[in-house]
Amino acid sequence: MSLKKRFIAGVVCPRCAEMDRIRAWEQNGVRYRECVNCDFFEQLPIESAPPKELETRVNRPQEASPSEEISTVKIIDPKLH
């Protein structure tokens, strides 16, 4: 059985800074990446659970402020008065 090494489009090599030179493959629960332009090589364990999303002001639940009152705004046309 041969391994399928696939190029990753748009990725820049961290060593030689060339784009579209990194290829990746998985074998025995390990993810490998290498550059065909230089001697960059990296292996990473495949995580079973996806990484937790970092909490930001966008994805954090908004806290309601009890001191704020909601009021209706009426726009008055000055020509009618």
Side-chain angles (χ1 to χ4, degrees), residues 64-70:
S65 176
S67 63
E68 293 182 16
E69 287 187 27
I70 298 175

Side-chain angles (χ1 to χ4, degrees), residues 13-32:
C13 175
R15 182 165 294 149
C16 68
E18 289 290 323
M19 185 181 285
D20 296 336
R21 300 285 194 256
I22 298 288
R23 61 184 181 175
W25 69 97
E26 294 177 5
Q27 183 178 18
N28 299 328
V30 179
R31 179 175 292 132
Y32 298 95

Side-chain angles (χ1 to χ4, degrees), residues 51-69:
K52 184 182 176 206
E53 182 179 6
L54 295 175
E55 186 175 308
T56 65
R57 66 177 177 82
V58 176
N59 65 4
R60 185 176 344 144
Q62 187 175 9
E63 297 175 9
S65 176
S67 63
E68 293 182 16
E69 287 187 27

Side-chain angles (χ1 to χ4, degrees), residues 7 13 16-19 21-22 34-40:
F7 282 93
C13 175
C16 68
E18 289 290 323
M19 185 181 285
R21 300 285 194 256
I22 298 288
E34 70 179 356
C35 179
V36 297
N37 192 56
C38 69
D39 61 348
F40 171 75

